[in-house]
Amino acid sequence: MHWLRGEYPELHLDIKRVIGEGDLVVTHSHLVLEPGKPGQALADHFRLENGKVVEHSDVIQDNLETSANKTPCCSVLRLKFAG
């Protein structure tokens, strides 16, 4: 990550969700490398052993300026249930 911060000193990572089960953790994040740009949506997958990351993979998608629906790629969906 040091090289990325060196290339983009104003980068911002906003973690939207963290899901964990057993030795697996998945994060859904919004990465903006340069202020004013739409950034990218990230899904990072980690496998842990003894509290350390032993495997990592990710899926990265550019955020679009406009979308076919009104929900942005990196929004946080909040549901309200009756009851």
Side-chain angles (χ1 to χ4, degrees):
M1 290 305 295
H2 293 291
W3 67 267
L4 189 60
R5 177 66 75 180
E7 292 289 318
Y8 301 96
E10 296 185 65
L11 77 79
H12 178 79
L13 179 69
D14 185 14
I15 298 174
K16 302 293 187 176
R17 295 170 186 82
V18 177
I19 301 167
E21 184 175 323
D23 62 351
L24 302 175
V25 176
V26 177
T27 62
H28 174 226
S29 308
H30 180 208
L31 174 65
V32 177
L33 297 175
E34 298 174 353
K37 303 277 178 139
Q40 299 170 312
L42 309 176
D44 285 282
H45 307 85
F46 303 93
R47 188 173 67 80
L48 308 171
E49 281 183 9
N50 300 318
K52 296 186 180 202
V53 175
V54 293
E55 288 182 39
H56 169 259
S57 64
D58 55 44
V59 180
I60 303 172
Q61 173 183 320
D62 288 337
N63 285 333
L64 303 174
E65 294 284 347
T66 59
S67 176
N69 62 35
K70 294 180 181 179
T71 305
C73 187
C74 285
S75 69
V76 176
L77 181 61
R78 301 198 189 285
L79 301 175
K80 197 172 200 179
F81 295 97

